[in-house]
Amino acid sequence: MPAMLTDVFRGHPIHLPHSHIPDFTSLRELPDSYKWTPKDDLLFSAAPSPPATGENIPLIDLDHPDATNQIGHACRTWGAFQISNHGVPLGLLQDIEFLTGSLFGLPVQRKLKSARSETGVSGYGVARIASFFNKQMWSEGFTITGSPLNNFRKLWPQHHLNYCDIVEEYEEHMKKLASKLMWLALNSLGVSEEDIEWASLSSDLNWAQAALQLNHYPVCPEPDRAMGLAAHTDSTLLTILYQNNTAGLQVFRDDLGWVTVPPFPGSLVVNVGDLFHILSNGLFKSVLHRARVNQTRARLSVAFLWGPQSDIKISPVPKLVSPVESPLYQSVTWKEYLRTKATHFNKALSMIRNHREE
């Protein structure tokens, strides 16, 4: 993945002010550059879903006998769901949360030693989507692709090996879980391994690649006017998110507006990404989501961004295409799609959509 992303970002360098990331804990007022209005994001003030509706993304027990259909239904109606009994040890989730909190608790100058370059992938900095917005986001991030050894050595000269072991173990669990979830969702549509030759469940998963994104949303003096992470869809097949016990993640549904996803201890959030939307010929919704901040508690999250190798062409599964349901999207590799996304952002899917003859 590092080579693929470096190639994409070299063609689309993003001038992000990593060196100007403030010490959030020292700010008692929200700077103007962090004050969002509807002019900065049309969805900024879209009405949240009234709590009385009680509608939210489902929490699915993977041990439930009907988990396959529940996942399929969630992918079609929400594009997101939470899972329990997922097989990832609670101790490992606590370890990755501790690592994330330790990293963002370091002094700013220490974190900047591992700052991401303009065309780079790994390291510390603000979200790459920041370049599509005029205002800054109340958050900081750290991206891991491949081994984090070199960056972690700069952050923790004494303890980096322990932290590397945590990342390696976490990614191993996530890879297996992501593949399992993808196939559960596809099975709900009647799609089997024979229909997608490149994505065998029984293989060593060398057809897939991933990145790990650590996020910190500090306590904010004026949360209603700030944005932790602006609205976007993921370019992945699937994204698996671990969040600490502080709410902030919101997903958008046309009939409900923004819905806050409550954290459940030990659970994971799963988002359908753009590539899975393409693979399912539009049946699975690529969910628009964002992160809000609050005045009392910092929020941490860890996103496992999972997709195919760079040379694999993603196109609607033939079984889901018929004379009535023609392919909605062109065939595209993740690398090609990331280039489109780097230019067109949330309009990327519409750029590769096949427009039917009238």
Side-chain angles (χ1 to χ4, degrees), residues 40-221:
D40 304 305
D41 180 3
L42 294 176
L43 288 169
F44 176 70
S45 57
S49 175
T53 64
E55 287 208 60
N56 213 303
I57 67 171
L59 173 62
I60 299 172
D61 179 350
L62 291 191
D63 285 343
H64 192 283
D66 198 39
T68 297
N69 290 325
Q70 291 178 12
I71 288 172
H73 185 260
C75 289
R76 291 191 300 274
T77 56
W78 283 96
F81 52 96
Q82 298 203 66
I83 51 173
S84 61
N85 285 320
H86 41 65
V88 182
L90 180 60
L92 183 55
L93 296 178
Q94 292 170 337
D95 286 346
I96 200 74
E97 182 179 331
F98 178 79
L99 180 157
T100 304
S102 299
L103 191 157
F104 292 116
L106 292 171
V108 173
Q109 290 308 312
R110 176 86 69 86
K111 289 181 282 193
L112 288 173
K113 288 183 178 180
S114 61
R116 194 171 59 235
S117 68
E118 289 183 358
T119 59
V121 183
S122 299
Y124 174 74
V126 299
R128 287 190 64 88
I129 67 169
S131 64
F132 293 100
F133 298 93
N134 294 321
K135 293 298 173 72
Q136 296 183 57
M137 301 177 205
W138 194 262
S139 60
E140 54 185 341
F142 194 97
T143 309
I144 299 171
T145 57
S147 171
L149 179 62
N150 289 335
N151 275 324
F152 279 12
R153 189 185 284 124
K154 298 172 191 173
L155 298 175
W156 298 289
Q158 309 299 323
H159 309 292
H160 56 275
L161 291 178
N162 291 342
Y163 287 127
C164 288
D165 288 344
I166 292 171
V167 167
E168 183 178 356
E169 185 181 357
Y170 189 79
E171 289 184 334
E172 281 303 310
H173 278 276
M174 287 293 124
K175 287 174 190 173
K176 294 172 184 173
L177 179 59
S179 179
K180 176 181 178 179
L181 291 168
M182 185 185 84
W183 278 110
L184 286 171
L186 288 171
N187 289 162
S188 77
L189 298 177
V191 175
S192 64
E193 287 191 55
E194 292 75 36
D195 299 309
I196 308 177
E197 295 178 358
W198 50 264
S200 171
L201 183 59
S202 58
S203 71
D204 58 4
L205 303 181
N206 59 4
W207 55 267
Q209 59 181 328
L212 203 61
Q213 177 65 37
L214 314 181
N215 302 305
H216 174 224
Y217 304 95
V219 169
C220 181

Side-chain angles (χ1 to χ4, degrees), residues 218-238:
V219 169
C220 181
E222 296 180 72
D224 291 343
R225 302 179 71 182
M227 180 63 70
L229 190 61
H232 65 286
T233 61
D234 292 339
S235 304
T236 56
L237 283 167
L238 289 174

